[in-house]
């Protein structure tokens, strides 16, 4: 993958040094825009979900939607064969190989959708929701739209143009939400989600093309195609395995339990994803591009990963602790009493969400340094061990057992394997421990404060607000000593040895 025709992986140390200050400013600005974008979009989705769950859709409809969403996410993980990441990762002018990337992406996306369209009834039956067939066929049109948008979206990521990306996502959100709500009011059930997603993704495709003009051009170069497939297929395989890990639980619940249980589980999993989506998505929109620029400077990469992990852990731990400790009152307050069974699985799923955030950041770092085979091995091991654990959990304790199986496998198997893989890539365990130490201490203090005050004050709205504020204050006091590390200040004295 060298030479002007195909582009090259991230460049030399000599080329890297003069770009560092500019890169830091770009990453900082992009991270701020990405965080604002993600928070605004997720708060909007959160509000929309509350309206739908309270007034228009019951657990059964959420179950059908969960099945369709699971299949869509797995297809999206490999719809462009991983080749679009070359737009972000390779050096040189990406416009030279972008037309070939677009052709590969569009062709593979269309083939995937055709296969899904034919297999939709069988897939829906196997997953325990035969009525999801039509929803699958409509919602997975997004696979084709996403495949077409990969190249212009890749240019926005490469250029750290997260301000323009926010404008695109805003249009997507407004249109998809409007269509979903309109159809839900008219009684379309889970199909309202499907058509809302299609309209939103179509708007996003148009928006990406306007934000990155001239990038939606088809072309073909056989040499480029071979190099792109060699680069992308391992990434697509790892990505599909990663999405399989995240979504296999929905498949197990759908096939092992009833549709009502599936609806409760999907809601609980969606709630547990709030911190993941807000923090992790904001970070991942800039982390891969940033890690790619540092891939040839091991010290800078290790330092950058440690800081990034520290930032996402500091932002995520309090959200996870609050939602885990106050699961039942939060679910009842936000969604209503009929959704209370979902709260039983939520504390375990919050622990899983915290692990997922760290693993996703590690995933981006390992991709940037070219450890694609290691990633495939890690994800394959995770999926192989997870599947029987989830089946056993579902049979023993329903959706709670499924959530517990997830956490057991992630903590006992996956985290240690990721740590070993990161160590081999030059990121020491001490760096990871330093990034997580203060947030974990703060989380323990916060959990003690929240659980104690909940018993003392009860679970009314004023009591929940007071409990949340007190817990957050305790957490903040605990993490204050880590602010210098998070800002990138060099350690002083004896602690310098711990620098990753």
């Amino acid at each position: 993958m060298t030479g002007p025709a195909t582009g090259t992986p991230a460049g030399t140390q000599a080329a890297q040094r003069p770009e560092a200050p500019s890169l830091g400013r770009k990453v900082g600005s992009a991270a701020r825009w990405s965080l604002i974008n993600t928070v605004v979009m997720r708060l909007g989705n959160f509000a929309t979900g509350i309206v739908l769950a309270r007034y228009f859709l019951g657990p059964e409809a959420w179950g059908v939607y969960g099945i369709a969403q699971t299949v869509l996410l797995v297809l999206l993980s490999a719809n462009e064969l991983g080749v679009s990441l070359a737009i972000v990762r390779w050096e040189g002018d990406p416009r030279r190989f972008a037309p070939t990337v677009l052709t590969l992406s569009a062709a593979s996306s269309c083939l995937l959708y055709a296969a899904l369209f034919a297999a939709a009834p069988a897939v829906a039956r196997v997953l325990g929701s035969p009525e999801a067939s039509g929803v699958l066929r409509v919602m997975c049109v997004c696979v084709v739209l996403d495949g077409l948008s990969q190249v212009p979206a890749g240019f926005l990521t490469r250029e750290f143009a997260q301000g323009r990306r926010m404008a695109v996502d805003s249009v997507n959100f407004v249109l998809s939400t409007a269509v979903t709500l309109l159809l839900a009011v008219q009684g379309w059930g889970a199909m309202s989600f499907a058509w809302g997603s299609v309209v939103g993704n179509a708007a996003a495709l148009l928006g990406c093309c306007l934000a990155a003009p001239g990038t939606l051009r088809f072309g073909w170069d056989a040499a480029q195609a071979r190099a792109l497939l060699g680069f992308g297929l391992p990434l697509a395989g790892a990505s599909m395995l990663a999405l399989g890990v995240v979504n296999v639980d929905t498949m197990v619940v759908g096939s092992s339990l009833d549709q009502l249980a599936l609806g409760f589980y999907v809601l609980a999993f969606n709630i547990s994803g709030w911190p993941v989506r807000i923090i992790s998505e904001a970070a991942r929109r800039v982390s891969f591009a940033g890690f790619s620029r540092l891939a040839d400077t091991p010290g800078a990469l290790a330092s950058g990963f440690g800081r990034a992990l520290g930032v996402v852990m500091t932002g995520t731990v309090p959200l996870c602790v609050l939602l885990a400790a106050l699961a039942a009152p939060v679910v009842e307050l936000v969604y209503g009493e009929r959704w209370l069974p979902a709260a039983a699985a939520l504390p375990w799923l919050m622990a899983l969400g915290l692990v997922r955030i760290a693993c996703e950041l590690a995933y981006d770092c390992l991709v940037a340094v070219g450890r694609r085979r290691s990633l495939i091995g890690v994800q394959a091991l995770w999926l192989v061990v997870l599947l029987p654990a989830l089946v056993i959990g579902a049979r023993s304790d329903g959706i709670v057992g499924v959530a517990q199986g997830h956490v057991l496998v992630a903590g006992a198997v996956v985290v240690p394997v990721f740590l070993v893989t990161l160590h081999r890539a030059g990121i020491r365990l001490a760096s990871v421990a330093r990034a997580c130490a203060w947030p974990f201490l703060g989380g323990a203090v916060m959990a003690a404060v929240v659980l104690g005050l909940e018993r003392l004050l009860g679970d009314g709205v004023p009591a929940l607000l007071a409990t949340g504020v007190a817990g957050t204050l305790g957490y903040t006091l605990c993490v204050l000593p880590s602010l210098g590390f998070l800002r990138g200040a060099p350690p002083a004295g004896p602690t310098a040895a711990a620098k990753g």
Side-chain angles (χ1 to χ4, degrees), residues 17 26 39 48 52 74 104 317 335 339 366 430 438 440 459 481:
R17 281 192 291 269
K26 286 182 178 180
V39 170
T48 304
L52 290 169
V74 171
L104 286 169
V317 165
Y335 292 99
W339 291 97
L366 292 170
W438 291 110
F440 284 6
D459 56 5

Side-chain angles (χ1 to χ4, degrees), residues 77-78 81-82 232-242 363 376 379:
S77 67
L81 304 178
L233 284 176
L235 297 180
S239 181
M240 180 171 284
L241 287 170
Y363 179 98
I376 292 176
Q379 299 294 348

Side-chain angles (χ1 to χ4, degrees), residues 18 27 32 50 103 153 235 272 332 414 418 437 453 468 472 480:
V27 171
R32 286 190 292 272
I50 292 174
T103 301
L235 297 180
S272 75
E332 184 175 10
V414 178
F418 258 116
L453 287 179
T472 303
L480 280 177

